[in-house]
Amino acid sequence: MNQFYQDFLIRSWEPKDRQNAAEVIRSVLAEYGLGWEADGADRDVLQVEEFYLDTSGEFWVIEYQNQIVGTGAYYPIERGQKAVEIRKMYFLPQIRGLGLGKYLLQLLEETIASRGFEQIWIETASILQEAVQMYEKNGYLPATGVETLRCDRVYCKQINC
């Protein structure tokens, strides 16, 4: 993956990105009063190969001036029918409000659909109000069955049906 949005490069994760991507996520979580869970919800960021690459998922980073400023990812899940979960959509404060979140979400959806999946699931926390609004504005419907401890919302969207 190598895609541009304005001056931002969205590209596939590389092993050299592990710490910087983790730091972006840790920083955004802290901003909202949420904890980093290296042995729980955030273990996948430290083990991208196992959770994403080895399962036919993808993990992308967003670069601006050679610095990682955001992330986005998905991997196949057992829940639902031919389903994936979008995960780790985090952006540093200075790049919010530029349309990048909506663009990344659409890019993820297009990629997921092109791979034959039929459902997209997303878990989030109510405190991440911008994310909640974006998902709801883009056709994600509330569902049940939150699986991540720090999350209190789950959404699902049908695609390719």
Side-chain angles (χ1 to χ4, degrees), residues 15-36:
K16 67 179 174 74
D17 299 325
R18 192 178 321 274
Q19 288 311 119
N20 290 333
E23 189 50 43
V24 165
I25 295 165
R26 185 184 345 252
S27 169
V28 173
L29 289 169
E31 175 188 350
Y32 286 92
L34 299 171
W36 168 260

Side-chain angles (χ1 to χ4, degrees), residues 60 86 89 91 99-112 120 122 131 134-140 157:
W60 301 338
I86 288 180
M89 277 193 61
F91 303 99
L100 185 57
K102 182 177 179 178
Y103 180 81
L104 181 64
L105 183 61
Q106 290 172 342
L107 190 58
L108 283 163
E109 289 176 353
E110 290 168 10
T111 301
I112 290 164
I120 300 174
I122 297 176
M134 181 178 66
Y135 300 141
E136 290 178 353
K137 284 181 182 176
N138 284 279
Y140 287 82
K157 182 174 182 176

Side-chain angles (χ1 to χ4, degrees), residues 2-133:
N2 256 0
Q3 183 83 29
F4 281 93
Y5 177 81
Q6 298 175 7
D7 292 332
F8 298 95
L9 170 62
I10 302 167
R11 64 168 177 80
S12 296
W13 178 91
E14 299 172 5
K16 67 179 174 74
D17 299 325
R18 192 178 321 274
Q19 288 311 119
N20 290 333
E23 189 50 43
V24 165
I25 295 165
R26 185 184 345 252
S27 169
V28 173
L29 289 169
E31 175 188 350
Y32 286 92
L34 299 171
W36 168 260
E37 300 174 14
D39 293 327
D42 301 308
R43 195 171 126 223
D44 58 329
V45 177
L46 302 174
Q47 299 174 341
V48 169
E49 296 89 346
E50 177 184 342
F51 282 86
Y52 296 92
L53 307 184
D54 294 348
T55 65
S56 298
E58 294 186 66
F59 194 105
W60 301 338
V61 296
I62 297 115
E63 277 188 9
Y64 179 73
Q65 297 179 343
N66 297 315
Q67 298 293 317
I68 295 177
V69 295
T71 60
Y74 72 91
Y75 56 55
I77 57 172
E78 295 298 319
R79 160 165 65 186
Q81 175 98 12
K82 293 185 180 178
V84 299
E85 181 176 350
I86 288 180
R87 296 185 48 83
K88 305 306 179 200
M89 277 193 61
Y90 290 100
F91 303 99
L92 292 179
Q94 63 267 31
I95 68 164
R96 295 182 199 145
L98 303 174
L100 185 57
K102 182 177 179 178
Y103 180 81
L104 181 64
L105 183 61
Q106 290 172 342
L107 190 58
L108 283 163
E109 289 176 353
E110 290 168 10
T111 301
I112 290 164
S114 75
R115 298 191 60 203
F117 293 102
E118 295 179 0
Q119 287 182 336
I120 300 174
W121 292 78
I122 297 176
E123 291 192 7
T124 192
S126 294
I127 196 162
L128 300 171
Q129 294 174 353
E130 299 95 333
V132 168
Q133 290 173 356

